[in-house]
Amino acid sequence: MTRENIRTPDGGTLELFSTGAELASAGSGVVIVPPSMVTAADYTKFAQKLSAALSQPVHTFNRRGRGSSSPQPEDYTLDVDIRDLQTVMKHTSSTDVFGHSFGGAVALHAARTLPVERLAVYDPAVSVNHSVKADWTAEYERAAAAGDDDRALAVLQRGLEAGGAFSSRMPLSMLTLANKLTAGTSEGKQQREMMRTGVREIKAIIAADMPAEPFLALPLETLIVVGEKSPAYFGIACGQIHDVLSGSSYTILPGYGHDGVIKAPDKLIKELADFYAG
């Protein structure tokens, strides 16, 4: 794996990781757009397995507010990530894109205007006809303003159903206590570092809500994958996009939830490799 910092047109910096860079002669590879609340490092296993299956490079980058990439601007909108994806695609000469969760929302909006040839998404957190709601943000902001990061994180986790159906039904007091107990772990620290950027990104998704019809501008070759155990709201938006995009493929990954990509099961890797190989 190689690591480099690349410059953006607005003077920012993006930290880029390329797995299988020595395979560049076999193709420009795939760019991964990661979700909220994670870093590019969380996709190392997935990138390695996909690169090996494709015999092509796979490029993962830290979006703003992560790693050595520039901070996320206070006036953040999805356009920031769309322009950054354009920079990464140009730098790597890649035209194939994969997006997961919030990264899937970025990829879906970006592919309407960027030169993406093949697009695949897993549980994209895109809002279509108000499919994504976040009436919990006011409660989150009250907790954050009071300096209660454990409770603020619990509100965010329950709102996103990040831990599946069980945690989404768990009393807020229990989730808050669990966050107190894990505050010193590497995962707990990462969650706290990223929750403010994560909430900003949720608001950006809602602000970019639109009907399904504009997604007709997506590439003809679009693969939509939803985890069987993922929160239902992912499937609602995906179904509407699939309905208007006649050339798209829609599949369900059996046995896996929203973290299916990070677990990198062979079934998902094969499906993506077959798709990108054409």
Side-chain angles (χ1 to χ4, degrees), residues 38-268:
V38 297
T39 68
D42 295 302
Y43 287 77
T44 301
K45 177 182 178 182
F46 174 77
Q48 289 172 339
K49 291 183 70 171
L50 184 58
S51 175
L54 278 172
S55 296
Q56 289 189 28
V58 172
H59 312 282
T60 312
F61 66 103
N62 271 324
R63 295 190 296 102
R64 300 196 189 214
R66 298 152 179 82
S68 63
S69 295
S70 296
Q72 191 182 70
E74 290 295 327
D75 59 349
Y76 170 82
T77 67
L78 279 184
D79 288 339
V80 172
D81 272 313
I82 291 172
R83 290 192 297 268
D84 286 349
L85 174 57
Q86 184 177 27
T87 297
V88 173
M89 290 175 62
K90 184 176 181 180
H91 181 80
T92 59
S93 299
S94 301
T95 55
D96 291 348
V97 173
F98 173 81
H100 176 207
S101 191
F102 177 81
V106 172
L108 284 168
H109 282 285
R112 295 169 51 228
T113 55
L114 300 188
V116 178
E117 292 187 7
R118 294 185 184 91
L119 171 66
V121 292
Y122 184 97
D123 281 359
V126 65
S127 186
V128 178
N129 292 318
H130 309 290
S131 59
V132 175
K133 297 176 175 60
D135 51 7
W136 48 265
T137 55
E139 186 175 7
Y140 162 87
E141 286 168 352
R142 284 194 297 271
D148 191 348
D149 284 356
D150 296 316
R151 182 178 177 85
L153 182 57
V155 172
L156 172 62
Q157 291 166 332
R158 192 168 70 170
L160 297 179
E161 300 178 46
F166 177 74
S167 66
S168 67
R169 293 193 298 266
M170 187 184 295
L172 195 60
S173 58
M174 290 183 64
L175 271 178
T176 301
L177 177 59
N179 287 333
K180 288 182 185 294
L181 296 174
T182 60
T185 66
S186 57
E187 183 178 354
K189 291 175 182 177
Q190 178 173 300
Q191 293 282 299
R192 282 159 182 75
E193 289 171 0
M194 295 186 183
M195 67 180 182
R196 287 167 179 80
T197 60
V199 171
R200 215 176 272 143
E201 289 164 355
I202 290 295
K203 290 180 177 179
I205 287 173
I206 293 171
D209 179 89
M210 62 174 62
E213 285 71 22
F215 290 103
L216 281 167
L218 288 174
L220 181 62
E221 295 187 73
T222 296
L223 171 64
I224 301 169
V225 186
V226 174
E228 180 186 27
K229 298 181 179 179
S230 299
Y233 63 86
F234 293 113
I236 293 172
C238 289
Q240 294 184 70
I241 293 173
H242 176 59
D243 285 345
V244 301
L245 195 64
S246 59
S248 65
S249 299
Y250 184 109
T251 65
I252 295 174
L253 183 65
Y256 286 89
H258 192 53
D259 60 352
V261 176
I262 292 177
K263 292 181 177 179
D266 291 342
K267 181 175 178 60
L268 177 61

